[in-house]
Amino acid sequence: MSYDWNWRFLLDTVAAGEGSYLDWLLAGLGWTVALSLAAWALALALGLAVGTARTLEARWLRAPAAAWVELFRNVPLLVQFFLWFFVVPELLPRDLGLWVKQDMPAKEFVTAVLCLGFFTSARVAEQLRSGIGSLPPGQRLAALALGMRLAQAYRHVILPRALRVVLPPLTSEFMNVIKNSSVAYAIGVMELTFQARQMQEETARGLETYLAVTTLYFLCAFAANRAMAAIEARSRIPGYLG
Amino acid sequence: MTAKLVLLCCAAALAAAPVAADTLAKVKEAGAITLGIRESSYPLSYLDEKQQPVGYHVEVCQRVVEAVRRQLGQPGLKVQFQPVTSQNRIPLVTNGTVDLECGSTTNNEARLKQVAFAPTTYVTYVRMAVKRASGITGLAQLHGKPVATTTGTTSVQLMRAHEKAKGVDFKEVYGKDHADSFLMLETDRAVAFVMDDNLLLGLIMTSKNPADYQVVGETLSVEPIALMLRRDDPAFKALVDDTVKGLMKSGELEKLYARWFMAPIPPRGANMNYPMGEHLRQLLKAPNDLPAEAYNKR
Amino acid sequence: MGAFDWQVVWASLPYLAQGLGFTVQLTAVALAGGLVLGTLLALARISGPRPLALAAAAYVNIMRSVPLVMVILWFFLVIPMLTGRPLGTEASALVTFTAFEAAYYGEIIRAGIQSIPRGQVDAARALGLTRAQATIHVVLPQAVRNMAPVLLTQTIILFQDTSLVHAIGAKDLLKAAEIAGKNYNRPVEMYVFVAAVYFAICLALSLLVRRLRRASGTAAPA
């Protein structure tokens, strides 16, 4: 195997444009990080609500929450991206649809955040539901017996405990978000995978390009892992293993 | 059984061997030649309603395959089709997946560092498609508006260069392939789609309401389009060149042109009605494989 | 975009069926190959010699921390440059998914085996069973029961993930629908149809997993 390594192409100016290929790579990294963080925040917020709703007794809350989870879990992410990008704007009122398609700032990015956020929220919801289910029922009953309303019991007793239980699975979900953000290339978000494909076509430095991009994904996943581990350590309740 | 097969494939994939620079030997050994084809590069190379590859360049390639069969004395040589996109066609030719690319690839100097091209068989003019109702007639009207183009194409670079030179600011939106980019125009995600004129006309032809669109504006570039093959493979290049030049000399290429540009074609029997341009007419008389830079000297 | 026109779905059914055929084939091959390779990886990590265990662990961890799209592109575009042996889209997809799923199945199998208390092996050995007999008759039956629902869940994910061969243009269900959508200029209907097909299949499979969980007494919490 005699491969002719050449990393200097990274500093070359891009064909007929400004900046170097390294700039493209860093811009790609920026979009990947921004997309992952935004989608993760959305997924946590939605997942928390949906996951909680699934554990309630009220049927009018439980059923739609269950439907939500099934809907977003049983369609491939790539297909969901296409649905959000090509189909959803056609279902909106005409003027709003047109605005979404033409004038919405950073439209591919916003679409990708919604898609990835909703997709991941179903997974977060399932983790939370099983986290709540794993708590001894006595905790909830005790809270209610102390005179708390159901909402208070969730707010002060159940959720704080359940969230700690689900932190480890949430860590891997966060890393999944970063990995899944790569699928956004399909709707034209200029994240790392998109840049890799574009760079390989223009520079013919395929191996270097893919090594660089893969390493950046590694670093992102590792950083996410460490960040979640830090949160886990800080939120530990003394005397519990979890 | 399947698992075993997969293991074998893995082993084969990992057994290092140098990339074959001798396409004819590789084809002979494999008993098959792989043609790279496009999904929506009308009318050069695209999939018809049966999802089979057809088009002007696909036919030219099939003539080359005939010549390969004759030269190798393998009349039963198999033909495999590999769909390629604007982003992966060059890597796929250089890494050996595709032996001959029959798409709509511009021959230019940057690409000649990586691949080789057959004599030019089509000359395209890069312009833009707009909706008739938009009233847009020139690039200057696109300032601040979303403009679609396909990733990995020379149009991307042309737009970058135009922005830099004229100080206009497009909001570029990228389609994965030409049909995708056209969809952006159709659904008002972009107000213009900058691309090779034949591709634009082909996409308009297959659209729901062809009368709604038109190709307008200044020509950003004149580009020679040709079949693409691996570099530094003189034997295969000579065979491809001779075949293409032979088609030009015998008048067969002109017939192929008429069949794909001047007559009803799949998938829906529409007619592009697009007479041959002056550049190509000259090339039929005196074939060459010069890159785009030779056409756009300023 | 006007009213929906489902005629195009009807007209393209044969090609959609072909595409679905490849999706299923890819899933089946990656499932079978992934289980075999995954078992080997799990055994290497649990009881292989140290260098082998480390290599298996490295393989699993690398595969699991890289996006699948990247792995697909590596196998399709980059690795043939080094080996000089391109595989073509379909074969490349089969190899990629087998190699990728092996890492995930391997971890599930490892967890399944390790969920069996050590005492069971000791007891089996004390009863006079050989090491191999203990593994086959005592450990594996219980491990398989523990991990079956998780393996199935992973297979549903695999089935969905096969749509990512889109990145290299392999003609699966999604690709066949996309081409038809382009030919008839009806992408919206095609995407909706494809989503519905995936949804129906995956929902049916996940209901099956739930039933299996209940039957095997390993009900998911809550």
Side-chain angles (χ1 to χ4, degrees), chain C residues 22 26 30 72 76 88-98 165 168 170:
Chain C
F22 180 68
L26 182 53
I72 293 172
F76 188 59
T89 329
E90 271 75 21
S92 174
L94 294 173
V95 172
T96 309
F97 272 87
T98 304
V165 295
I168 58 174

Side-chain angles (χ1 to χ4, degrees), chain B residues 38 44 57 89-90 101 103-107 111 117 224-228:
Chain B
R38 300 295 297 263
L44 301 180
H57 269 168
R89 56 192 167 185
I90 292 178
E101 197 249 2
S104 62
T105 308
T106 300
N107 175 354
R111 287 176 178 158
F117 288 92
I225 307 287
L227 309 185
M228 178 166 66

Side-chain angles (χ1 to χ4, degrees), chain A residues 141-190:
Chain A
L141 295 175
L144 294 177
L146 283 171
M148 285 187 186
R149 279 177 290 112
L150 188 61
Q152 288 174 317
Y154 267 90
R155 161 79 182 78
H156 296 290
V157 180
I158 300 173
L159 284 179
R161 288 282 292 122
L163 280 175
R164 287 178 170 87
V165 173
V166 298
L167 262 176
L170 284 189
T171 302
S172 68
E173 281 305 331
F174 187 25
M175 292 166 75
N176 281 340
V177 171
I178 295 172
K179 287 190 274 173
N180 286 335
S181 72
S182 62
V183 182
Y185 85 88
I187 61 166
V189 177
M190 300 177 82

Side-chain angles (χ1 to χ4, degrees), chain B residues 3 6-7 10, chain C residues 30-44 56 59-60 95 97-103 105-106 109:
Chain B
V6 170
L7 274 174
C10 287
Chain C
L31 171 63
L35 280 179
V36 172
L37 284 179
T39 309
L40 294 178
L41 283 170
L43 291 177
Y59 178 83
V60 168
V95 172
F97 272 87
T98 304
F100 186 78
E101 290 304 320
Y105 284 131
I109 295 167

Side-chain angles (χ1 to χ4, degrees), chain A residues 55 127-137 139 161-166, chain C residues 220-222:
Chain A
T55 63
Q127 303 287 5
L128 185 67
R129 180 175 75 111
S130 65
I132 292 175
S134 74
L135 298 179
Q139 297 220 338
R161 288 282 292 122
L163 280 175
R164 287 178 170 87
V165 173
V166 298

Side-chain angles (χ1 to χ4, degrees), chain B residues 33-62 79-84 100-103 259-260 266-267, chain C residues 15 18 171 179 183:
Chain B
I33 184 167
T34 307
L35 304 181
I37 48 102
R38 300 295 297 263
E39 282 169 17
S40 55
S41 295
Y42 305 99
L44 301 180
S45 181
Y46 62 99
L47 299 173
D48 67 8
E49 68 281 10
K50 299 196 186 73
Q51 308 209 346
Q52 292 303 308
V54 293
Y56 170 72
H57 269 168
V58 174
E59 282 215 52
V60 175
C61 271
Q62 266 152 355
V79 179
Q80 293 163 344
F81 293 105
Q82 168 69 52
V84 302
L100 184 61
E101 197 249 2
C102 328
R259 165 149 181 220
W260 290 97
Chain C
Y15 311 106
Q18 261 175 29
K171 219 191 264 178
I179 296 170
N183 263 331

